[in-house]
Amino acid sequence: MNDNVQKEKGNKWVTRISYSIGAFGNDWFYAVLSTYFIMFVTSHLFGKGDNAMILYITNIIALLRIVELFIDPIIGNAIDRTKTRWGKFKPWIFGGGIVSAIALAVLFTNMGGLNRTHPFIYLAIFSVLYISMDIFYSFKDTSFWSEMSSLTFNSGEREKISTFARIGSNIGANLVGMVIMPLILFFSLTKNGGSGDLRGWSMFGVLTAIIVIITVLVVCLGTHELDSDLRKNKEETKLRDVFKILLGNDQLMWTAVAYGLYCIGINIFNSAELYYFTYVLGQSSKFAIIGTINMILGFFSISAFPALAKKFNRKNVFYACIFIMLCGAGLLTVAGQNLALVILAMELFAAPQAVIFLVILMTITDSIEYGQLKLGHRDESLTLSVRPLLDKLGGAIAGWCIGPIAILSHMTSGYTYKTITAHNILTFKLFVIALPVVLILLGTFFFWKKVTLTEKRHAEIVEELEKSWGTKNETSAGTGEKAVAGTYELTSPIKGEYIPLTQVNDNTFSSGSMGQGFALKPTDGAVYAPFDGVVRQVFPTRHAIGLESDDGIIMLIHVGIGTVNMNGTGFVSYVEQGQRVKQGEEVLEFWDPAIRKAGYDDTVMVTITNTKDFNAVDVLPQAGQAIDTNTDVLKLTKN
C-alpha cells in the first residue's frame, strides 16, 4: 500500500513541477507580448513624429486580435478533435510554442529597416507575421491550460496543479519586469536615457524565444494525460456546433463576461505601469522593483490559494482580492511622484491578480464537467479556449487604448518626464486608473450575480457523471461485442452485511437507473475483482471502480455516498485503467473510519451497469446476511 501511495505522490510532483515550468514560459511570453511589446513599438520602433505609424500598428494589433476572437473557439475544437500517440494537447503545445516564439523574436526587429524604407511593406509583413504568431500561440496556450483538465478530475488536485502552475506563471510574468530593462541596456549600444536601443530590444526578443522553447520541451516530457472513459465522446463536436456548445454552457458564459471586463481593466492598468515609471517618475530603471516585489508577493499569495479557497471558498477569495486591487488603484491616484507610494499602490493592484486568475481558471475548468452533464458532451479545449480568448481581448483593447493615450499624454519617442505637464499626467490617470476601476467593478457584479458553479456543486456534478458510467456502454470495451450468452454466478467483491439496493440512501442507485445489483455495509476495506477481466475505469477520486469480465459483464463498485467530496482521502487504488485482473485480486482499498469521520455513509453499492444485456439478473442473498468474498451474490442469465 505504501509503495502505491509513494508512486502516486511521485508522479503528482513530477506533473506539478513540469506544468509549473511550462507556465513559467507561457506567461513570460504573454507578459512580453501584452505589456512590453507596445512599449517597444511606441518608444523604439518609430521616431518622434511617427504617430501615424504607431496608430497603424496599434490598430492592426487590435483588429487582428478581435478577428481572432472568432477563431479561438475553432482552434479549441480542432484541439479537441486531435488524436495522436502523444495525446491531443502535446503536439499543439510543442508546435505552437516553437512557431510563436520564433515569430515574436522577428517582430522585435525592424525587419532590416523596412519600417523606415518601405513602411507599408513593413505593415503588410507585420500583419501576416503577427496573426500567425498569435494563432500559433493560441494553439499552444489553449492546449497548455486545457491539458490540466486531462491530468485529473479531482477538483482539489486541480487546485494544487494550478497553484503550482500559477507560481510558475507568477515568476515568469514578473521576472520579465525585473530583468527586461537591465538586459535591454546590457545588449544595447546606446543607453538612450535609460530605455535602451533597437538592438537591445531585439536581443531580448531572441532570449524570450529560447526560454519558451526550453519550457515547452519540459512540459511535453513531464506531464501525462489521464486516459479515462469520462473524457471520451461518442461523437466529435462538429464545427457548426462550436458556438452552440459554448453558449449552451451558461456558467462558462457568465464567467466569461465577468472575466472579460476584468481583463480589459487590468490590461490597461498593467500596460501603463512602465509608462508611469518612465514618463511620470523619470525612473525607468526602478521598474525592476515592481517585478521583484510582484514575484515575491505572488509566490505567497498563490501558495496560500488552496488553503484560502478551502476555508473561505473561491468566490469570497475573489471578492477580497478585488477590494485590495481597488484600494491600490485609489492610492495611485494620489501617489504623484512619491516612489514609495507608487510602488505600494501598484503592488496592492498587482498582488491579487494571480489569485483571481486561479479562481477564474478553476471555475472555467470546472465548467467542463458542468457542460458535460448539461449538454451530454465533453469539450475540454473548446471550453478552455475561452480563457486565453478573453486574455487576448483584454490585451487587444488595452493595446488599442495605450497607443492613443501615450500620444495624448506626450509619452512617446522624443519626450521625457521633464516635458510632461500636470495636464498630461491627469489625462493619463483618467484613462489608465479610472476606466479600469469601472470595468473591474462591472465584471465583479456579473460574477456575484450569475456565477453559481461552486466547489461543492462541481463535486456533485462529477459524482453524477461517475454514477452514469457504464449505463451507456452497451458493448464490451475488450471485445467490441455484447455480453456473451450463458449463465453466470458472481461472488461478492467485498465483505459486509447485505442490503437490498432499493434501500440505499441514494436515488440513483436505489431507482435501478445504474442497473441491478446489491449493497453492503462493509466489514472490511479491501475490494477484490469478482471475475477475470479488465479494469474499465479507475475513478479519479478512487472511491469507485469499473470492471468488465471476459464475458462482457460490466460492473461498477461504488464505495460510500457523497465520498466524492473526500477527494481520494482514505482510498488507494492498486490497478490502472486497461489492466487485466484475476478473480480474487485486490483492486481497491479504503479506510472505513475515515469515511465515517468525514460524516458520509459508507454503504458500498455494486451494480451491473449493462443489465439490459441480460434476460435476468437475480440477487441471491437475504436481507442482513453476512457476505464474504467467496459468497455467490448475483446470477446473470443471457439467452
Coordinates of all heavy atoms in Angstrom, one line a residue, residues 17-65:
I17 N 5.5 20.0 -11.1 CA 6.7 20.9 -11.3 C 6.8 21.1 -12.8 O 7.1 22.2 -13.3 CB 7.9 20.2 -10.8 CG1 7.9 20.2 -9.2 CG2 9.2 20.9 -11.2 CD1 8.9 19.3 -8.5
S18 N 6.6 20.1 -13.7 CA 6.7 20.2 -15.1 C 5.7 21.2 -15.6 O 6.0 22.1 -16.5 CB 6.5 18.9 -15.8 OG 7.5 17.9 -15.4
Y19 N 4.5 21.1 -15.1 CA 3.5 22.0 -15.5 C 3.8 23.5 -15.1 O 3.5 24.4 -15.8 CB 2.1 21.6 -15.0 CG 0.9 22.0 -15.7 CD1 0.6 21.5 -17.0 CD2 0.1 23.0 -15.2 CE1 -0.5 22.0 -17.7 CE2 -1.1 23.4 -15.9 CZ -1.3 22.9 -17.2 OH -2.4 23.4 -17.9
S20 N 4.4 23.6 -13.9 CA 4.8 24.9 -13.4 C 5.8 25.5 -14.3 O 5.8 26.7 -14.6 CB 5.3 24.8 -12.0 OG 5.7 26.0 -11.5
I21 N 6.8 24.7 -14.8 CA 7.8 25.3 -15.7 C 7.2 25.7 -17.0 O 7.6 26.7 -17.6 CB 8.9 24.2 -15.8 CG1 9.7 24.0 -14.5 CG2 9.9 24.6 -17.0 CD1 10.7 22.8 -14.6
G22 N 6.3 24.9 -17.5 CA 5.6 25.2 -18.7 C 4.8 26.6 -18.5 O 4.8 27.4 -19.5
A23 N 4.2 26.8 -17.4 CA 3.5 28.0 -17.1 C 4.4 29.2 -17.0 O 4.1 30.3 -17.4 CB 2.7 27.9 -15.8
F24 N 5.7 28.9 -16.5 CA 6.7 30.0 -16.5 C 6.9 30.5 -17.9 O 6.9 31.8 -18.1 CB 8.0 29.4 -15.9 CG 9.2 30.3 -16.0 CD1 9.4 31.3 -15.0 CD2 10.0 30.2 -17.1 CE1 10.5 32.1 -15.1 CE2 11.1 31.1 -17.2 CZ 11.4 32.0 -16.2
G25 N 7.2 29.7 -18.8 CA 7.5 30.1 -20.2 C 6.3 30.7 -20.9 O 6.4 31.7 -21.6
N26 N 5.1 30.1 -20.5 CA 3.9 30.6 -21.1 C 3.6 32.1 -20.8 O 3.3 32.9 -21.6 CB 2.7 29.8 -20.7 CG 1.5 29.8 -21.6 OD1 1.6 29.5 -22.8 ND2 0.4 30.3 -21.1
D27 N 3.8 32.4 -19.5 CA 3.5 33.7 -19.0 C 4.6 34.7 -19.3 O 4.4 35.9 -19.3 CB 3.1 33.7 -17.5 CG 1.6 33.5 -17.4 OD1 1.0 32.6 -18.0 OD2 0.9 34.3 -16.7
W28 N 5.8 34.2 -19.4 CA 6.9 35.1 -19.8 C 6.6 35.6 -21.2 O 6.7 36.8 -21.4 CB 8.3 34.3 -19.8 CG 9.4 35.1 -20.3 CD1 9.7 35.5 -21.6 CD2 10.6 35.5 -19.5 NE1 10.8 36.2 -21.7 CE2 11.4 36.2 -20.4 CE3 11.0 35.4 -18.2 CZ2 12.6 36.8 -20.0 CZ3 12.2 35.9 -17.8 CH2 13.0 36.6 -18.7
F29 N 6.2 34.7 -22.1 CA 5.9 35.1 -23.4 C 4.7 36.1 -23.4 O 4.8 37.1 -24.1 CB 5.5 33.8 -24.2 CG 5.1 34.1 -25.7 CD1 6.1 33.9 -26.7 CD2 3.9 34.5 -26.0 CE1 5.7 34.2 -28.0 CE2 3.5 34.8 -27.3 CZ 4.5 34.6 -28.3
Y30 N 3.7 35.8 -22.7 CA 2.5 36.6 -22.7 C 2.8 38.0 -22.1 O 2.3 39.0 -22.6 CB 1.3 35.9 -21.9 CG 0.0 36.7 -22.0 CD1 -0.7 36.8 -23.2 CD2 -0.4 37.5 -20.9 CE1 -1.9 37.5 -23.3 CE2 -1.5 38.3 -21.0 CZ -2.3 38.3 -22.2 OH -3.4 39.0 -22.3
A31 N 3.6 38.1 -21.0 CA 3.9 39.4 -20.5 C 4.7 40.2 -21.5 O 4.4 41.4 -21.6 CB 4.7 39.2 -19.2
V32 N 5.6 39.6 -22.1 CA 6.4 40.3 -23.1 C 5.5 40.8 -24.2 O 5.6 42.0 -24.7 CB 7.5 39.4 -23.7 CG1 8.2 40.1 -24.9 CG2 8.5 39.1 -22.7
L33 N 4.6 40.0 -24.7 CA 3.7 40.4 -25.8 C 2.7 41.4 -25.4 O 2.5 42.4 -26.1 CB 3.0 39.1 -26.3 CG 2.0 39.3 -27.5 CD1 2.7 39.9 -28.7 CD2 1.2 38.0 -27.8
S34 N 2.0 41.2 -24.3 CA 0.9 42.1 -23.9 C 1.3 43.4 -23.2 O 0.6 44.4 -23.3 CB -0.1 41.3 -23.0 OG 0.5 41.0 -21.8
T35 N 2.4 43.3 -22.5 CA 2.8 44.5 -21.7 C 3.9 45.3 -22.3 O 3.9 46.5 -22.3 CB 3.1 44.1 -20.3 OG1 2.1 43.3 -19.7 CG2 3.5 45.3 -19.4
Y36 N 4.9 44.6 -22.8 CA 6.2 45.3 -23.2 C 6.3 45.5 -24.7 O 7.1 46.4 -25.1 CB 7.4 44.6 -22.6 CG 7.3 44.5 -21.1 CD1 7.1 43.2 -20.5 CD2 7.3 45.6 -20.3 CE1 7.0 43.1 -19.1 CE2 7.1 45.5 -18.9 CZ 7.0 44.2 -18.3 OH 6.8 44.1 -17.0
F37 N 5.7 44.7 -25.5 CA 5.8 44.9 -27.0 C 5.3 46.2 -27.4 O 5.9 46.9 -28.3 CB 5.1 43.8 -27.7 CG 5.2 43.8 -29.2 CD1 6.4 43.6 -29.8 CD2 4.1 44.2 -30.0 CE1 6.6 43.7 -31.2 CE2 4.3 44.3 -31.4 CZ 5.5 44.0 -32.0
I38 N 4.2 46.7 -26.8 CA 3.7 48.0 -27.2 C 4.6 49.1 -26.8 O 4.7 50.2 -27.5 CB 2.3 48.2 -26.6 CG1 1.6 49.4 -27.3 CG2 2.4 48.4 -25.1 CD1 1.2 49.2 -28.7
M39 N 5.4 49.0 -25.7 CA 6.4 49.9 -25.4 C 7.5 50.0 -26.4 O 8.0 51.1 -26.8 CB 7.0 49.6 -24.0 CG 8.0 50.6 -23.4 SD 7.2 52.0 -22.8 CE 8.6 52.9 -22.0
F40 N 7.9 48.8 -26.9 CA 8.9 48.7 -28.0 C 8.4 49.5 -29.2 O 9.1 50.2 -29.9 CB 9.2 47.3 -28.3 CG 9.9 47.0 -29.6 CD1 11.2 47.4 -29.8 CD2 9.2 46.5 -30.7 CE1 11.9 47.1 -31.0 CE2 9.8 46.3 -31.9 CZ 11.2 46.6 -32.0
V41 N 7.1 49.3 -29.6 CA 6.6 49.9 -30.8 C 6.5 51.4 -30.6 O 6.9 52.2 -31.5 CB 5.1 49.4 -31.0 CG1 4.4 50.2 -32.1 CG2 5.2 47.9 -31.5
T42 N 6.0 51.9 -29.5 CA 5.8 53.4 -29.3 C 7.1 54.1 -29.0 O 7.2 55.3 -29.4 CB 4.8 53.7 -28.2 OG1 5.3 53.1 -27.0 CG2 3.4 53.1 -28.5
S43 N 8.1 53.5 -28.4 CA 9.3 54.2 -28.0 C 10.5 53.9 -28.7 O 11.5 54.6 -28.6 CB 9.5 54.0 -26.5 OG 8.4 54.4 -25.7
H44 N 10.6 52.8 -29.5 CA 11.8 52.4 -30.2 C 11.7 52.0 -31.6 O 12.6 52.2 -32.4 CB 12.4 51.2 -29.4 CG 12.8 51.6 -28.0 ND1 13.9 52.2 -27.7 CD2 12.1 51.4 -26.8 CE1 14.0 52.4 -26.3 NE2 12.9 51.9 -25.8
L45 N 10.6 51.5 -32.1 CA 10.4 51.1 -33.5 C 10.3 52.3 -34.4 O 10.8 52.3 -35.5 CB 9.2 50.2 -33.6 CG 9.1 49.5 -34.9 CD1 10.3 48.6 -35.3 CD2 7.8 48.6 -34.9
F46 N 9.6 53.4 -33.9 CA 9.4 54.6 -34.7 C 10.0 55.8 -33.9 O 10.1 55.8 -32.7 CB 8.0 54.8 -35.0 CG 7.4 53.6 -35.8 CD1 6.5 52.7 -35.2 CD2 7.7 53.4 -37.1 CE1 6.0 51.6 -35.8 CE2 7.1 52.3 -37.8 CZ 6.3 51.4 -37.2
G47 N 10.3 56.8 -34.7 CA 10.8 58.0 -34.1 C 9.8 59.1 -33.7 O 8.6 58.9 -34.0
K48 N 10.2 60.2 -33.2 CA 9.3 61.3 -32.8 C 8.7 61.8 -34.1 O 9.3 62.0 -35.1 CB 10.1 62.4 -32.1 CG 9.2 63.5 -31.6 CD 10.0 64.5 -30.8 CE 9.1 65.6 -30.2 NZ 9.9 66.6 -29.5
G49 N 7.3 62.0 -34.0 CA 6.6 62.5 -35.2 C 6.0 61.3 -36.0 O 5.2 61.6 -37.0
D50 N 6.3 60.1 -35.7 CA 5.7 58.9 -36.4 C 4.5 58.4 -35.8 O 4.2 57.2 -35.7 CB 6.8 57.8 -36.5 CG 7.9 58.1 -37.5 OD1 7.7 58.9 -38.4 OD2 9.0 57.5 -37.3
N51 N 3.6 59.3 -35.3 CA 2.4 59.0 -34.6 C 1.5 58.1 -35.5 O 0.8 57.2 -35.0 CB 1.7 60.2 -34.1 CG 2.5 60.9 -32.9 OD1 3.3 60.2 -32.3 ND2 2.2 62.1 -32.7
A52 N 1.4 58.5 -36.8 CA 0.6 57.8 -37.7 C 0.9 56.3 -37.7 O 0.1 55.4 -37.7 CB 0.6 58.4 -39.1
M53 N 2.2 56.0 -37.8 CA 2.7 54.6 -37.9 C 2.4 53.9 -36.5 O 2.0 52.7 -36.5 CB 4.2 54.5 -38.1 CG 4.5 54.9 -39.6 SD 3.8 53.8 -40.8 CE 4.8 52.3 -40.5
I54 N 2.5 54.6 -35.4 CA 2.2 54.0 -34.1 C 0.7 53.6 -34.1 O 0.3 52.5 -33.7 CB 2.5 55.0 -33.0 CG1 4.0 55.1 -32.9 CG2 1.9 54.4 -31.7 CD1 4.4 56.2 -31.9
L55 N -0.2 54.5 -34.6 CA -1.6 54.2 -34.6 C -1.9 53.1 -35.6 O -2.8 52.3 -35.3 CB -2.4 55.5 -35.0 CG -2.4 56.6 -33.9 CD1 -3.1 57.8 -34.5 CD2 -3.1 56.1 -32.7
Y56 N -1.2 53.0 -36.7 CA -1.4 51.9 -37.7 C -1.2 50.6 -37.0 O -1.9 49.7 -37.0 CB -0.5 52.1 -38.9 CG -0.9 53.1 -39.9 CD1 0.0 53.9 -40.6 CD2 -2.3 53.4 -40.1 CE1 -0.4 54.8 -41.5 CE2 -2.7 54.3 -41.1 CZ -1.7 55.0 -41.8 OH -2.1 56.0 -42.7
I57 N 0.0 50.5 -36.3 CA 0.4 49.3 -35.6 C -0.6 48.9 -34.5 O -1.0 47.7 -34.5 CB 1.8 49.4 -35.0 CG1 2.9 49.5 -36.1 CG2 2.1 48.2 -34.1 CD1 3.1 48.2 -36.9
T58 N -0.9 49.8 -33.7 CA -1.9 49.5 -32.6 C -3.2 49.1 -33.1 O -3.9 48.2 -32.5 CB -2.0 50.7 -31.6 OG1 -2.4 51.9 -32.3 CG2 -0.7 50.9 -30.9
N59 N -3.7 49.8 -34.1 CA -5.0 49.4 -34.7 C -4.9 48.0 -35.4 O -5.9 47.2 -35.3 CB -5.4 50.4 -35.8 CG -6.0 51.7 -35.1 OD1 -6.5 51.6 -34.0 ND2 -5.8 52.8 -35.7
I60 N -3.8 47.7 -36.1 CA -3.6 46.4 -36.7 C -3.7 45.3 -35.6 O -4.4 44.3 -35.8 CB -2.3 46.4 -37.5 CG1 -2.4 47.2 -38.8 CG2 -2.0 44.9 -37.8 CD1 -1.1 47.4 -39.5
I61 N -2.9 45.5 -34.5 CA -2.9 44.5 -33.5 C -4.3 44.3 -32.9 O -4.7 43.2 -32.7 CB -1.9 45.0 -32.4 CG1 -0.5 44.9 -32.9 CG2 -2.1 44.1 -31.1 CD1 0.5 45.5 -31.9
A62 N -5.0 45.4 -32.6 CA -6.3 45.3 -32.0 C -7.3 44.6 -32.9 O -8.0 43.7 -32.5 CB -6.8 46.7 -31.6
L63 N -7.3 45.0 -34.2 CA -8.2 44.4 -35.2 C -7.9 42.9 -35.4 O -8.9 42.1 -35.5 CB -8.1 45.1 -36.5 CG -8.7 46.6 -36.5 CD1 -8.4 47.3 -37.8 CD2 -10.3 46.5 -36.3
L64 N -6.6 42.6 -35.5 CA -6.3 41.2 -35.7 C -6.7 40.3 -34.5 O -7.2 39.2 -34.7 CB -4.8 41.0 -35.9 CG -4.2 41.5 -37.2 CD1 -2.7 41.4 -37.3 CD2 -4.8 40.8 -38.4
R65 N -6.6 40.8 -33.3 CA -7.0 40.1 -32.1 C -8.5 40.0 -32.0 O -9.0 39.0 -31.5 CB -6.4 40.7 -30.9 CG -4.9 40.4 -30.7 CD -4.4 40.7 -29.3 NE -3.2 40.0 -29.1 CZ -2.5 39.9 -27.9 NH1 -3.1 40.5 -26.9 NH2 -1.4 39.3 -27.8

